[in-house]
Amino acid sequence: MNEQQIRLLEEIKQQAQQECEAITARAEAQRREEKDRADRQIQTLRDKHEAELKRQIDDIHSASRQAMQRITREHERLFSQMLFEQVELRFREILEEHTRTEDYRRSLINWCIAGIKALESEEILIEASPRAAELLDQGALDDITAAVQNIPVVKVTAPQECSGEGVVLYSADRRMLYSSLITDHLQRCSALIRRLVHDHLAGRKDLNQ
């Protein structure tokens, strides 16, 4: 092989090496570009996944808070109702205990006075429970009549249909009535008891905050 052929081979070798290096460089650039693109896609997917995961976690936390609030409200409602029933029951017991004391006679007189004033009738009929009828003797009726400016009390009866302890007052024509039965006192006080229970629980809640 002469010198010219050797130079030609050397040039071909150099060109091949340069072409190989160029191909390698282009491949490396393309690889980096593909890698960058893949990294961006991965980051995008990661960000999207993290955002979705965060949204799901926020939804779970929100649902948990709402559920806890519902549970708390229901607990407060049930506790309030339970406390109201206990106070109402105790109030009933106190009223029933009162009917067995000496002070019950004075209460009956006061209830009759209040009923007569409310009815504003010229004559009054009083239907009483057996215990109340015993206590509303002539002396009690005289006290009642004197307190209401001599409006006459027609009579006191203890009918079988008088359910519960206390008295029911009627106008003489029986068109109007005023009840002072224990059950009616309890019913009239029910709203007050519920409000007192509510205020008590609200005050306790404020103290706990």
Side-chain angles (χ1 to χ4, degrees):
M1 182 177 296
N2 57 35
E3 184 176 349
Q4 183 178 3
Q5 291 175 332
I6 293 174
R7 283 199 303 272
L8 181 59
L9 288 174
E10 187 64 29
E11 289 176 2
I12 292 173
K13 180 180 178 181
Q14 290 177 355
Q15 289 177 357
Q17 185 174 356
Q18 291 173 355
E19 185 64 23
C20 182
E21 291 175 353
I23 292 172
T24 300
R26 287 195 300 271
E28 180 62 23
Q30 185 176 3
R31 185 192 66 80
R32 286 195 299 269
E33 183 179 348
E34 293 293 336
K35 182 178 181 300
D36 292 342
R37 185 182 300 111
D39 289 343
R40 288 193 299 271
Q41 291 177 345
I42 291 172
Q43 186 62 45
T44 299
L45 291 174
R46 182 182 292 114
D47 293 342
K48 182 178 180 180
H49 177 72
E50 289 178 352
E52 177 64 18
L53 183 61
K54 183 178 183 302
R55 185 190 65 77
Q56 293 178 0
I57 292 174
D58 290 343
D59 288 346
I60 292 172
H61 286 169
S62 177
S64 177
R65 286 192 299 270
Q66 292 175 6
M68 183 58 66
Q69 290 171 355
R70 288 195 299 270
I71 292 171
T72 300
R73 286 194 299 268
E74 181 64 11
H75 173 75
E76 291 175 350
R77 186 189 69 78
L78 292 174
F79 182 74
S80 176
Q81 180 63 25
M82 180 188 70
L83 186 58
F84 166 74
E85 291 173 356
Q86 290 178 345
V87 173
E88 187 179 48
L89 176 61
R90 181 55 187 148
F91 183 53
R92 182 190 296 273
E93 292 173 348
I94 290 172
L95 288 175
E96 291 175 350
E97 290 169 2
H98 178 66
T99 64
R100 296 189 290 272
T101 67
E102 295 180 357
D103 294 333
Y104 183 42
R105 182 176 184 273
R106 172 48 55 184
S107 295
L108 289 169
I109 293 173
N110 291 336
W111 292 348
C112 289
I113 292 171
I116 292 171
K117 290 181 177 180
L119 291 176
E120 297 181 345
S121 177
E122 294 182 357
E123 293 181 338
I124 297 296
L125 171 65
I126 300 175
E127 291 186 352
S129 62
R131 166 71 172 156
E134 292 177 5
L135 296 175
L136 290 174
D137 53 20
Q138 189 57 49
L141 296 180
D142 291 342
D143 290 344
I144 294 169
T145 301
V148 293
Q149 300 178 349
N150 296 319
I151 294 176
V153 175
V154 177
K155 61 179 178 179
V156 176
T157 61
Q160 294 294 327
E161 62 269 17
C162 186
S163 61
E165 189 59 52
V167 292
V168 180
L169 284 74
Y170 294 90
S171 59
D173 57 10
R174 298 184 71 88
R175 292 183 179 179
M176 297 182 295
L177 69 84
Y178 179 91
S179 176
S180 277
L181 295 174
I182 294 297
T183 52
D184 292 317
H185 279 288
L186 185 63
Q187 185 175 2
R188 285 194 287 268
C189 291
S190 178
L192 174 61
I193 294 173
R194 190 173 292 279
R195 192 185 76 224
L196 291 174
V197 168
H198 177 271
D199 292 345
H200 168 73
L201 293 178
R204 192 188 66 171
K205 184 177 180 181
D206 291 340
L207 291 175
N208 290 336
Q209 288 179 346

